[in-house]
């Protein structure tokens, strides 16, 4: 196994901007990106707001117009964030590492298309009584949609476009669709380097939950329940975050700036609600981190998850000088949320020079937590 793994590049596109330190500053200043959706009426849903990336210009990151037409918004955000991460790391593919020496691991979300993209399919596949007709779907429905739709609905396409645009050809895998899967993408990058399957890894996540189909999906998963009862809850967001991981010795040899060691991690599969806190406590205790400088908390966007997290931290005996609650400000980026937690933690380690705990907790069965330490 290899040596310590360090973060040398951070690239992000979020509702609070694309400059990592500025995003951290705006979160600490209490700013919020939450507002009513621009593209649709949220009145039918329990949740009235989302956190959108405004003024995003994909042309600044992808020059080929034809390629842009094949990308959904998830992929565009992913390509932009990955490029920013490589630029931040001052890493040139093919110079610092061969393309096949760089691993690529990322998490992507579900329901990544706005309703307008699939409306023709729905309309032509519906019978006169308003029911879905499988025969019409096969005969007329499929012919009514753009032939490039498949490029936009496959969960691995954002990763594919990052690979194409950055010429990354090493070990790769895609994980979907929740925050814990973003944490798995990070862990996969760490293991690839330590096991010599890659010399460098680009790890990330992207998600877009700011359109009708995404709201429908989240409501079906009951993520909006607290909005009905307490008028607060999950704020669906959109964005992408990518990190560059390297073995510390290799990073130092090429003169790279290092943000933090990506140190200990702990994973858990959550049990039913009654045992959730118990599983979280066990997971946090395995980290052996009683006194971090800061905690990047995960559950602030939902009262129940926040209470679970706070109770688990207390039971595990973990206290910190400060606690950051990014979802309250940036929104929940779901598949990209774990990457944002880690990126913010790395910036705090750089600032304080002390360990920071990043909790990657959210909807779905897979949960994780990481301790980042000073280099």
């Amino acid at each position: 196994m290899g040596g310590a793994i360090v973060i040398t590049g951070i690239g992000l596109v979020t509702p609070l901007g694309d400059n990592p330190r500025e995003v951290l500053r705006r979160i600490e200043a209490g700013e919020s990106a939450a507002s009513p959706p621009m593209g649709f009426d949220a009145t039918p849903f329990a949740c009235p707001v989302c956190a959108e990336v405004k003024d995003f210009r994909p042309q600044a990151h992808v020059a080929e117009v034809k390629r842009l037409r094949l990308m959904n918004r998830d992929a565009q955000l992913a390509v932009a964030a990955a490029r920013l991460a490589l630029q931040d790391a001052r890493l040139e593919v093919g110079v610092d590492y061969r393309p096949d020496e760089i691993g690529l691991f990322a998490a992507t979300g579900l329901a990544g298309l706005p309703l307008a993209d699939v409306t023709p399919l729905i309309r032509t596949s519906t019978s006169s009584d308003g029911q879905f007709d499988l025969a019409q779907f096969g005969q007329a429905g499929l012919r009514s949609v753009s032939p490039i739709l498949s490029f936009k609905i496959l969960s691995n396409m954002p990763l594919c476009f990052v690979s194409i645009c950055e010429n990354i050809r090493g070990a790769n895998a895609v994980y979907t669709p929740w925050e814990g899967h973003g944490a798995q993408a990070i862990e996969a990058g760490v293991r690839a380097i330590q096991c010599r399957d890659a010399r460098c890894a680009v790890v990330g996540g992207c998600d877009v939950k700011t359109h009708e189909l995404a709201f429908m999906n989240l409501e079906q998963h009951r993520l909006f329940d607290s909005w009905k009862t307490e008028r607060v809850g999950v704020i669906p967001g959109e964005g992408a975050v990518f990190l560059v991981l390297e073995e510390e010795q290799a990073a130092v040899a090429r003169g790279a700036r290092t943000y933090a060691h990506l140190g200990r991690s702990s994973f858990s599969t959550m049990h039913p609600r009654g045992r959730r806190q118990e599983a979280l406590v066990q997971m946090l205790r395995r980290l052996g981190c009683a006194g971090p400088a800061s905690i990047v908390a995960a559950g602030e966007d939902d009262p129940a998850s926040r209470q679970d997290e706070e109770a688990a931290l207390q039971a595990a005996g973990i206290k910190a000088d400060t606690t950051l609650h990014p979802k309250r400000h940036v929104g929940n980026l779901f598949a990209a949320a774990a990457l944002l937690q880690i990126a913010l933690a790395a910036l705090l380690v750089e600032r304080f020079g002390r360990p920071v705990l990043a909790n990657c907790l959210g909807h779905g069965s897979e949960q994780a937590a990481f301790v980042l330490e000073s280099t």
Side-chain angles (χ1 to χ4, degrees), residues 13-363:
V13 182
T14 78
L16 287 182
D18 60 8
N19 181 302
R21 289 183 176 80
E22 179 66 8
V23 170
L24 175 59
R25 184 198 68 77
R26 296 181 70 178
I27 291 172
E28 292 178 322
E31 295 185 39
S32 173
S35 63
M38 295 187 297
F40 69 98
D41 179 12
T43 303
F45 302 98
C47 176
V49 296
C50 64
E52 296 172 294
V53 176
K54 298 175 181 176
D55 303 320
F56 174 61
R57 294 183 62 256
Q59 299 87 348
H61 307 278
V62 182
E64 302 88 343
V65 175
K66 291 183 179 179
R67 187 173 293 170
L68 273 176
R69 291 173 183 165
L70 300 175
M71 297 182 185
N72 62 9
R73 189 166 173 86
D74 304 60
Q76 293 174 0
L77 293 167
V79 167
R83 178 155 295 179
L84 290 171
L86 289 167
Q87 291 174 350
D88 186 50
R90 296 178 176 85
L91 191 153
E92 188 173 349
V93 178
V95 176
D96 295 300
Y97 300 105
R98 297 196 316 267
D100 62 345
E101 293 178 322
I102 303 175
L104 181 59
F105 305 91
T108 63
L110 297 176
L113 289 174
L115 188 59
D117 283 8
V118 295
T119 297
L121 177 63
I122 297 172
R123 183 182 299 116
T124 54
S125 302
T126 304
S127 62
S128 58
D129 62 357
Q131 299 297 311
F132 177 78
D133 188 311
L134 186 60
Q136 287 185 215
F137 170 77
Q139 294 170 7
L142 293 178
R143 291 198 296 271
S144 69
V145 299
S146 168
I148 66 173
L149 183 64
S150 61
F151 286 94
K152 298 185 177 183
I153 62 175
L154 297 175
S155 60
N156 66 330
M157 291 312 295
L159 195 72
C160 176
F161 282 115
V162 171
S163 173
I164 292 171
C165 292
E166 301 303 333
N167 191 29
I168 296 174
R169 305 179 190 176
N172 60 86
V174 63
Y175 303 81
T176 188
W178 305 114
E179 184 165 351
H181 299 102
Q184 288 181 329
I186 298 169
E187 188 72 0
V190 171
R191 290 179 179 175
I193 297 173
Q194 291 179 333
C195 295
R196 307 301 187 194
D197 291 331
R199 294 186 61 203
C200 168
V202 178
V203 300
C206 63
D207 213 337
V208 175
K209 291 290 192 289
T210 53
H211 51 77
E212 302 101 314
L213 287 181
F215 267 55
M216 292 178 193
N217 184 34
L218 295 175
E219 191 141 68
Q220 288 174 346
H221 280 88
R222 303 189 63 182
L223 267 69
F224 291 162
D225 282 4
S226 67
W227 282 104
K228 301 174 185 177
T229 58
E230 303 181 50
R231 297 185 180 180
V232 294
V234 170
I235 301 172
E238 63 175 348
V241 184
F242 275 77
L243 308 172
V244 176
L245 308 182
E246 300 178 66
E247 194 171 34
E248 184 175 27
Q249 186 175 356
V252 171
R254 74 174 187 87
R257 176 266 326 278
T258 57
Y259 286 99
H261 284 130
L262 191 52
R264 302 183 299 281
S265 63
S266 182
F267 285 75
S268 176
T269 298
M270 289 293 98
H271 299 279
R273 174 74 190 182
R275 298 183 60 194
R276 179 180 172 86
Q277 284 189 19
E278 177 187 343
L280 287 176
V281 171
Q282 293 175 356
M283 183 183 74
L284 292 171
R285 282 177 175 166
R286 286 197 297 269
L287 285 172
C289 182
S294 298
I295 296 171
V296 182
E300 188 63 24
D301 63 339
D302 172 71
S305 61
R306 181 183 68 242
Q307 292 164 10
D308 282 344
E309 182 180 18
E310 291 174 351
L313 287 166
Q314 183 176 4
I318 298 176
K319 298 180 181 180
D321 299 334
T322 60
T323 302
L324 206 64
H325 302 102
K327 290 177 185 173
R328 178 191 293 174
H329 310 279
V330 183
N332 194 325
L333 304 187
F334 292 98
L339 279 302
L340 181 61
Q341 307 288 104
I342 297 296
L344 294 172
L347 293 173
L348 292 173
V349 169
E350 183 187 48
R351 177 194 296 176
F352 294 121
R354 290 174 54 198
V356 174
L357 169 65
N359 284 336
C360 305
L361 318 175
H363 186 69

